[in-house]
Amino acid sequence: MIRSFFSPLCLLVLRKSSTIIANVIIWWEVFLTMSINTFVYPYPINVFIISRLGMTVEQFCELHGYKQSTVASWVTRNRTVKTLPCDFLYCLSLSSGWSMDDVYRHLLVLEERFLKSIDPKKKKEQVD
């Protein structure tokens, strides 16, 4: 399988260094067995990135230069789609191949589903 992936010249270079071969094999095994965690907090950004882009939030952030902690704070604080930075929507648009308008509308639909799935807070009652 590796032979069909690499050219003969590349294999010749790789044979000269056993550490490179070991690193390539480890990388290849990780790549083949790597899966995307789909069990996440159903926040619209997470759902869009994982289901529409087929990558993790961490991979998306690394690709577009966002700090993963920044995006995680948006999730923790339930930041609304309306308040997301335009640049972030643009990056989602670039990655998905959709227009920014389509991405925004889809995120609004996901946000509506997300808000419906959250249990409403229990109303405080007077205790006698």
Side-chain angles (χ1 to χ4, degrees):
M1 182 171 196
I2 292 177
R3 289 185 186 268
S4 64
F5 181 76
F6 294 106
S7 69
L9 178 62
C10 184
L11 284 175
L12 179 65
V13 171
L14 290 175
R15 285 185 187 137
K16 292 188 178 197
S17 173
S18 60
T19 56
I20 292 176
I21 292 173
N23 288 340
V24 168
I25 290 171
I26 290 169
W27 173 83
W28 189 251
E29 288 174 352
V30 168
F31 178 75
L32 291 175
T33 60
M34 185 173 44
S35 64
I36 295 175
N37 181 9
T38 57
F39 185 74
V40 295
Y41 191 60
Y43 186 69
I45 292 172
N46 291 356
V47 174
F48 187 88
I49 291 172
I50 291 169
S51 66
R52 297 292 175 196
L53 304 181
M55 64 178 72
T56 65
V57 176
E58 290 82 12
Q59 290 169 333
F60 177 84
C61 290
E62 186 176 322
L63 181 67
H64 293 286
Y66 275 90
K67 290 184 179 179
Q68 194 274 335
S69 59
T70 300
V71 176
S73 72
W74 298 343
V75 173
T76 304
R77 296 178 182 151
N78 287 329
R79 187 171 183 173
T80 63
V81 172
K82 289 189 276 187
T83 62
L84 292 175
C86 186
D87 180 59
F88 188 77
L89 292 173
Y90 179 69
C91 291
L92 289 172
S93 172
L94 284 177
S95 291
S96 66
W98 293 5
S99 69
M100 286 179 66
D101 188 44
D102 289 340
V103 169
Y104 182 74
R105 278 191 263 143
H106 190 73
L107 286 173
L108 288 174
V109 169
L110 292 173
E111 182 178 53
E112 186 178 336
R113 288 183 197 162
F114 169 70
L115 293 174
K116 286 181 181 177
S117 71
I118 296 176
D119 291 331
K121 291 185 178 180
K122 293 181 180 179
K123 293 182 180 179
K124 293 182 180 180
E125 297 178 6
Q126 179 92 23
V127 178
D128 293 330

